[in-house]
Every structure is written in structure tokens, then in C-alpha cells.
Amino acid sequence: MPLRAAFKIEGLRGGPSRRKLGPGRSRAGGASRQRSGSGVTPGDRVQEVYRRENRRVFATLVRLLGDFDLAEDALQSAFLAASERWPQQGVPRNPVAWLVSAGRFRAIDSLRRQRRMTPWSEAAEAAAGIADEASVYEELEDVEDDRLRLIFTCCHPSLSEEAAIAMTLREICGLSTEAIARGFLIAPTTLAQRIVRAKSKIRDARIPYEVPDRDALPARLGRVLRVIYLVFNEGHSAAQGADLMRPDLTAEAIRLARLLADLIPDPEVRGLLALLLLQDSRRRARTTASGDLVPLEAQDRTLWDRAAIAEGVSLVRQALGVHGFGSYALQAAIAAVHAEAPSSEATDWAEIVGLYDALLHREPSPVIALNRAVAVAMRDGPEAGLALIEPLLTPELLGGYHLAHAAKAELLRRAGHCDAAKSAYEASLGLARQDPEKRFLRARLAEISD
């Protein structure tokens, strides 16, 4: 079951270390130290690096240590060491490499203590298997690719698709178990058990942390694309909270898609990268300065990123020009039509409906049907769209999906059915979890009530 909508409706939501890591000692961190300035303290920098880089450090620690739980403990130990040392010694020139090195040393110390207590334990084997110091510093040059390696590991075909996606979103992207469980419509405890079993399978089967060779790529590519897409989706329209967007996640998803596109000359990889670029190109125009949502038709298109649009459109043409393109390329084509239109009124809605027809044929989904219905309404009028949306609002389909009720409400408003629109907006508001969306829906209700 999809974690999030296949295509958003824009506006509606279209222990201490044995080795000192101070100045001049750590090749990973470098001899240079960044002193605080402009009121930013080293403690602030620890928090900033944690927010921005903790999953990047984690992915490298998983590769070096070969175990998710050991890597998580090492990650926390590394940031604890940073919070103690950086205020006295200054921030390292390369904070990520410093943290990876610190985490690895602490993991080795922990395993060696276990080995002294239980000489023939698995801990002894694990400690012996961790790369030596020289190789660690050589491998730190590859930190940038570690999250991609970890995604391929999590998407191994021996794991169920739901477990693979859930584990990737939790371990690589740092989403909470509760947030992921809501997307899968299951209990958090059930999801947590699936993630634990998946980790155990990776460990027990000794699945390597690597990007597979070309012969093994096809078996995992679909899942990897889906995971990158879901990461972007969470950043593009966060599942809940005070902010509409999480630019750190969208940037990470685009970076991973670029790495994948360089690795695999596949039309769907290009299509995915194009889709992410085109969707992200509207970021600056999607909210006001106060964080309120701006619908697509009301966005200032001069704020759209024209360089990202040009790159995205070029990638769409490349993807559609060869055999083997699929749903990501088609979604990117839809986004390209929007991106190239000078206004909502001048958008080629007939072409968008045709693209949705092709997408729905290839990937039948009530969410895609909903988006198609909105496009039909833009082409043929709100009543035509309402006739297509109403059958989707059943408990088995989109009855619990707030964007479906929001789409219905918007079309009812445009058609002049204010009382029915008010009821639909209230239904959507009761299901919405994101603060900017709630404010948008309340504003619409206020307009109708005035």
C-alpha cells in the first residue's frame, strides 16, 4: 500500500575513546578548527550538524560496523563526544568525518570490553571484522555514497517491500516509527517489529552494504526508486507538523536520484530525477513568508526555479524518448506541463488529462484517479470533476484521505454549492494533520461563511 499519494495536488497538497581526537590528532577531522562567530556557539553547531548530518554519519557507521544497532549506539556516542569536546576544542574542519571516526572508536571500545568478558563471543568476531584505522580514513572519502549503499541494502529482494521501505525511511531518513506507521495504516508496534525482523535478516544473512553489480540491479531498482520518491514526498509535503516542507529531505532525495542516474542510464531513473527537480522548482512560491500554503493557481511563477525546470524538462524528454519509461517519467511529464505554463489558465489541461490517462492505465490507483478528476475539472468544469471524485470517496478507497475531501470541497466551491463545500472542507479539516493545510482549510471555510 502506498505510503503517500502518488502525485500531489498542488495547493491542496497536489564510553570514552582511547584515542584523542583533538587538534592535530585526527586526520578525519583535520587540524583546522572552526571557532564560533556571529553568536553561533560550538554547542549550536553540534545541534545543527545533528539535524543536517546524523543520517549521513549513521549510514557510514553501518557500513564500517556492519550492524544497525551498533551503528546507532556509535552515532549517539559520537554526538555525545562532540557536545563535550567541540565547545573546548572548536568545531572540526570536517565534522562528518570526525563523528564517523569518533563513533567507530567507541564501537570498537565497546566490543573489546565485551570480548574481555566473553572471549569467544560474537563480539570478538565483530571487533576483529571492523576495518583498521588506515582503511577507515581512506574509506571516509566515500561517505557521500553511503546512504545510497544503505538504501540498496535495505531494498534487498529477500526482504518484504513494506519492511524494506519502512526500514529505509526510519534508518536512513530518520522519520519516526509513528509517522511511518500512520502512512502504512498500521500500529507503530507492528511496524517496529517488521523493522527489527528486517535488520535481523540483513545481519544473519550477511547481506553486504554495497550497491549491487549491474546484473543484480534490476531486482532492487524499483524499490530504490520508490524509497527515494517517498523521501522526497515527505520533504515536499510533510506528513504533519508546523511546516509544509522539509527542504533537507527534498535535497537529499534529489542528491540520491542524481547518484543513481549517474550509476544507471535508465529512463525511469531519469524520470524520477526530472519529477523531483520539477516539483522542487516551485518550493519558494508554495508558502508565504509566514508559512501559509499558496495554491498553485495563486503562486508567483517568477519565484519558480527556471534552471531546475529546464533540467527537469530536458530529463523528461530523454526519458520519454527511449523504450522502458514508466510512471515516474509520466508524472514528470505532467509536472513539466505545469512548469512550462505561464499561468494556471494557460495550462494545457487536455494534455495533462491525456497523461493522467496513460498513467492510470499503467498504474491504477485511486489517488491517480483523484488527480485526473481534478485535471478534468480544470478542462471541462467543476461538475465534470465532481462526478469522477464522488465514487472515490468510499471507506475502501479515499474516504479517509483528507485531500480527496479537500478536492471535492474546492470544486463544490467553484460550482457555487457553498453548503456542500462547507461540509466537505470540514471533513477534510477533521482528517488533516499538517498545520499549514489546516490554516488553508479554515481560511476557505471562513470565505464561504462570510
Side-chain angles (χ1 to χ4, degrees), residues 413 417-419 421-423 425-426 441-450:
R413 183 186 69 85
H417 307 308
C418 293
D419 289 340
K422 182 177 179 181
S423 296
Y425 277 127
E426 289 172 344
L441 294 169
R442 291 190 186 106
R444 284 290 199 242
L445 279 168
E447 289 174 12
I448 294 174
S449 301
D450 288 344

Side-chain angles (χ1 to χ4, degrees), residues 211-271:
V211 175
D213 58 35
R214 292 191 179 276
D215 292 338
L217 274 175
R220 287 190 244 179
L221 183 57
R223 288 187 182 185
V224 171
L225 292 175
R226 179 168 167 73
V227 165
I228 293 174
Y229 176 67
L230 291 172
V231 172
F232 179 87
N233 249 11
E234 179 61 26
H236 186 69
S237 289
Q240 63 177 349
D243 299 320
L244 179 70
M245 296 172 286
R246 288 189 56 185
D248 57 327
L249 289 182
T250 56
E252 173 63 7
I254 292 171
R255 190 191 70 82
L256 291 171
R258 286 192 187 281
L259 284 174
L260 202 57
D262 290 340
L263 180 68
I264 308 170
D266 181 274
E268 272 295 80
V269 178
R270 292 195 187 101

Side-chain angles (χ1 to χ4, degrees), residues 122-242:
E122 292 183 2
E125 180 183 352
I130 297 176
D132 63 30
E133 182 179 349
S135 63
V136 167
Y137 290 121
E138 292 173 1
E139 290 181 341
L140 284 174
E141 297 178 1
D142 298 328
V143 164
E144 287 299 322
D145 295 338
D146 279 333
R147 279 173 291 189
L148 189 58
R149 291 187 183 99
L150 192 51
I151 287 179
F152 273 101
T153 301
C154 292
C155 293
H156 194 276
S158 66
L159 304 177
S160 72
E161 182 171 2
E162 284 194 349
I165 293 173
M167 185 168 62
T168 303
L169 294 175
R170 176 67 187 90
E171 303 301 334
I172 298 174
C173 303
L175 302 186
S176 71
T177 302
E178 291 75 14
I180 301 169
R182 278 193 295 269
F184 280 111
L185 302 180
I186 61 176
T189 53
T190 301
L191 184 83
Q193 289 168 359
R194 290 180 183 175
I195 292 174
V196 169
R197 287 195 295 268
K199 288 181 183 179
S200 298
K201 192 163 190 175
I202 290 174
R203 182 189 63 241
D204 297 342
R206 298 182 181 274
I207 294 173
Y209 296 89
E210 63 184 15
V211 175
D213 58 35
R214 292 191 179 276
D215 292 338
L217 274 175
R220 287 190 244 179
L221 183 57
R223 288 187 182 185
V224 171
L225 292 175
R226 179 168 167 73
V227 165
I228 293 174
Y229 176 67
L230 291 172
V231 172
F232 179 87
N233 249 11
E234 179 61 26
H236 186 69
S237 289
Q240 63 177 349

